[in-house]
Amino acid sequence: MSVAVVTDSTAYLPARRVEHYGVRVVPLHVSTGPEHSLAETSFDPELLTERLRAGSRVTTAGAGVAEFADTYRAALESGADGVLSVHLSGELSGTLDAARTAARQVAPSAISVVDSRSVAMGLGFAVLAAAELAATGAELAEVTEAARRVAARGTILFSVQTLEYLRRGGRIGTASALLGTALAIKPLLHLRDGVIEPLEKVRTTGAVVRRLEQLAVDAATGPAPSGTPSEVDTPRPPALAVHHLAAPERAEALARRVRERLPGHSDCVVSEVGATIGAHIGPGSVGVVVLPGGWSATAGAPHDEW
């Protein structure tokens, strides 16, 4: 069976992997005004940072039903027997609902839509696991389960310079309890069951990297994921990703420190987030995604192949 894998632009997958596995990426949208809506992939992070720092309003919108329907039809018309569509948390965007509506319109029995309850490479690792398995000729049900299993294992931790951007976009949920704290406090947050929630308060920007480092190591060295006896007997190293917006030095420092603490890691992606996520977390944000056991069901590519 041939299964096509679809995701959205908030997975922030390395371009080489998108091309290698033939993943179809549907972009979300960014607007700076009523007549200036662009695909996220066309909105440079540098431009986003410039607009945000200038006080301009930047809004985001999910992908539409028609965009998903066109993508699904193209995949099926190209020879795929089924389609797996994996997306950012339905708690953060209406993208998932659009994907489900499109699936019902096009071919409900041949299209599986999965809520990753995650975002960025928390979503991306699930997509890669599904795409790798799909390349072996696995059935749609197997590919779908692989994506769900990997998405459920990921940990997403991040720090923002201010909660104002999350507040404006209505994405902070219970993290609103942190609003109004002193400017010196840098909140650490995490994604829990698809929702952004507060985790800790750190007093300085410098302490953020150290605390994220320790939390990442703790997450990576926690209980091993379940699997076949052979997988459990030979634990696989964790997959890692560090994301940022306009904070490359701190992102590289965090990646370096985590690599040193976890020398056997299978992957380490360091990348700047796109406008959809960046508009809600703001410049200076840094985060880390940890996937114990890695994403690959086979070898797990080393980080230098990214």
Side-chain angles (χ1 to χ4, degrees):
M1 182 175 186
S2 172
V3 176
V5 177
V6 175
T7 190
D8 59 72
S9 56
T10 67
Y12 303 131
L13 286 165
R16 289 182 61 180
R17 290 302 172 94
V18 171
E19 181 178 359
H20 177 76
Y21 287 115
V23 176
R24 297 168 188 258
V25 180
V26 178
L28 274 66
H29 302 279
V30 183
S31 300
T32 56
E35 299 178 359
H36 296 88
S37 178
L38 295 172
E40 176 180 24
T41 49
S42 301
F43 202 95
D44 189 271
E46 291 186 8
L47 176 59
L48 171 68
T49 297
E50 178 183 314
R51 295 290 178 87
L52 291 176
R53 286 178 170 164
S56 299
R57 182 168 176 77
V58 179
T59 59
T60 62
V65 173
E67 293 170 289
F68 281 116
D70 288 347
T71 301
Y72 297 156
R73 289 191 185 98
L76 295 171
E77 290 170 1
S78 295
D81 299 306
V83 176
L84 171 64
S85 199
V86 192
H87 301 288
L88 81 162
S89 172
E91 300 287 345
L92 302 178
S93 170
T95 295
L96 183 77
D97 289 338
R100 286 173 171 163
T101 299
R104 289 193 294 269
Q105 291 180 357
V106 175
S109 63
I111 303 171
S112 177
V113 178
V114 170
D115 182 351
S116 72
R117 310 295 286 177
S118 192
V119 74
M121 281 303 295
L123 162 62
F125 286 136
V127 172
L128 290 176
E132 181 190 62
L133 188 58
T136 70
E139 299 285 330
L140 179 59
E142 293 179 80
V143 178
T144 298
E145 180 56 28
R148 287 185 173 138
R149 189 167 56 245
V150 170
R153 286 198 280 113
T155 295
I156 298 181
L157 307 154
F158 66 104
S159 173
V160 296
Q161 294 295 295
T162 172
L163 285 164
E164 179 61 17
Y165 298 108
L166 285 165
R167 186 194 66 78
R168 289 178 189 173
R171 299 303 198 279
I172 53 176
T174 58
S176 59
L178 290 175
L179 288 173
T181 55
L183 292 177
I185 298 295
K186 303 302 177 187
L188 290 183
L189 305 103
H190 66 156
L191 207 63
R192 182 178 179 182
D193 197 24
V195 177
I196 296 171
E197 294 187 346
L199 185 61
E200 297 179 7
K201 300 175 185 178
V202 178
R203 289 195 173 277
T204 66
T205 298
V208 164
V209 171
R210 294 191 296 274
R211 189 58 184 141
L212 285 174
E213 171 199 344
Q214 186 58 54
L215 290 169
V217 171
D218 291 345
T221 55
S226 60
T228 64
S230 61
E231 288 174 330
V232 174
D233 291 343
T234 308
R236 296 184 183 277
L240 308 165
V242 173
H243 296 297
H244 72 95
L245 180 64
E249 293 182 359
R250 273 187 289 128
E252 289 292 348
L254 176 58
R256 182 177 64 254
R257 294 170 72 140
V258 174
R259 286 177 184 134
E260 290 171 354
R261 299 276 302 274
L262 300 169
H265 62 83
S266 63
D267 301 293
C268 188
V269 183
V270 181
S271 67
E272 192 164 25
V273 297
T276 295
I277 300 303
H280 294 290
I281 61 176
S285 298
V286 177
V288 59
V289 180
V290 182
L291 184 68
W295 59 267
S296 177
T298 55
H303 65 81
D304 60 2
E305 291 188 11
W306 292 100

